[in-house]
């Protein structure tokens, strides 16, 4: 059937998103915070669940390249990417702020002014975040701008990927020289993950197996190059997570079990936005009330997942996303961001 491989692939990618968000949720509930904060009595586990964020970055690299391939202007590209993340982000900020302010969460409370600043991403430079997980959204935004600037130079995949590889080498080189200014723009260990995802997308965009091979080789090379950042003390788990991403994206039709996780993947962004602080509120409340650890964690998982489904249908539905895309595209068009390099450039 026409379009069936692409449908299978996107279902598998949603399955990957499901794995990524489940890893992060497990880490934040069972491995990130000490027992005297959560009230749990079990030993920390899932300490490597933070690698779910790395998995998200690989997936984002794939989806960002896909969005760019369909955009006729920089305004359209940035409009669609901002329109994708911003509506649910508003809902996540407001809901988390209201609940944390109402019930209290030591060390994680912010003022109304600081919450308002979060709505325009001032948590990147000035205010504390309403929820600590928002740091990854700032990384995403930075990459949107970087990818957009590369598109203004050329729309050729090899040049785009070469530019990303060059930025990785530049950032890593400056770090080795003790100069950390580039890290403030984007860290090399993040850009290499976006590169892996983008290379996998460009491989799929080729018409023949022979044309795909260079992009798969580049993705593999980027995987090995990522270890040069020296930031991973969990080498084997990291390798397993990133290899999983590559295998799933390449062999989608052979992984129906993973594709079956797509409903969780569909709401993974909303769940990611809501799970940490609200989940900690629930866990602390239930453990303080004398509930068993398993029930407290189950309550946090269930409660935040239900909220995420609600957030998805209210803020990530097609109507809202379409209007958000159009609004941001108009804003960027007013800034005269209507052109990209020619496809053949």
């Amino acid at each position: 059937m026409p379009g069936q491989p692409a449908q299978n692939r996107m279902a598998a990618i949603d399955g990957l998103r499901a794995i990524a968000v489940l890893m992060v949720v497990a880490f934040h509930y069972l491995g990130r915070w000490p027992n005297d904060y959560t009230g749990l009595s079990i030993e920390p586990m899932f300490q490597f669940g933070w690698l779910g964020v790395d998995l998200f970055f690989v997936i984002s690299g794939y989806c960002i390249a896909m969005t760019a391939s369909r955009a006729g202007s920089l305004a359209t590209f940035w409009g669609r990417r901002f329109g994708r993340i911003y509506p649910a982000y508003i809902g996540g900020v407001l809901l988390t702020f209201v609940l944390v302010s109402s019930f209290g969460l030591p060390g994680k409370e912010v003022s109304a002014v600081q919450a308002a600043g979060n709505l325009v991403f001032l948590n990147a430079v000035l205010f504390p975040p309403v929820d600590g997980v928002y740091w990854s959204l700032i990384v995403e935004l930075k990459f949107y701008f970087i990818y957009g600037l590369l598109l203004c130079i050329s729309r050729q995949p090899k040049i785009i990927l070469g530019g990303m590889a060059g930025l990785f080498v530049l950032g890593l080189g400056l770090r080795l020289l003790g100069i950390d200014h580039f890290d403030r723009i984007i860290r090399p260990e993040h850009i290499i993950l976006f590169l892996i995802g983008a290379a996998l997308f460009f491989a799929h965009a080729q018409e023949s197996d022979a044309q795909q091979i260079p992009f798969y080789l580049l993705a593999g090379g980027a995987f090995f190059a990522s270890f040069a950042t020296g930031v991973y003390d969990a080498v084997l788990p990291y390798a397993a997570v990133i290899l999983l991403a590559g295998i799933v994206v390449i062999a989608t039709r052979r992984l129906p079990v993973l594709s079956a996780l797509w409903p969780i993947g569909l709401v993974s962004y909303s769940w990611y936005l809501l799970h940490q602080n609200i989940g900690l509120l629930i866990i602390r409340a239930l453990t303080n009330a004398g509930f068993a650890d398993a029930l407290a964690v189950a309550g946090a998982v269930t409660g935040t997942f239900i909220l995420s489904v609600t957030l998805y249908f209210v803020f990530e539905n097609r109507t809202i996303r379409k209007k958000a895309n159009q609004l941001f595209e108009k804003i960027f068009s007013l800034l005269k961001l209507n052109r990209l390099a020619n496809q053949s450039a």
Side-chain angles (χ1 to χ4, degrees), residues 204-228:
H204 289 156
Q206 305 308 307
E207 296 180 354
S208 69
D209 292 343
Q211 292 174 317
Q212 292 177 348
I213 290 174
F215 294 102
Y216 284 135
L217 290 175
L218 178 59
F223 165 70
F224 287 108
S226 67
F227 292 97

Side-chain angles (χ1 to χ4, degrees), residues 71 101 108 117 154 195 254 300-301 315 323:
S101 298
K108 302 185 182 302
S154 174
L195 192 159
R254 299 180 179 87
V301 171
F315 288 96
K323 289 182 178 179

Side-chain angles (χ1 to χ4, degrees), residues 11 47 81 85 97 106 145 176 190 263 328:
Q47 291 95 328
R81 293 316 305 174
I85 69 169
F97 172 70
F145 283 109
L176 293 174
H190 296 150
F328 279 109

Side-chain angles (χ1 to χ4, degrees), residues 88 267-275 307-309 311-312 316:
V267 300
S268 59
Y269 175 53
S270 288
W271 199 11
Y272 182 80
L273 291 172
L274 298 178
H275 80 276
L307 286 175
S308 72
V309 172
L311 190 70
Y312 174 82
E316 291 194 76

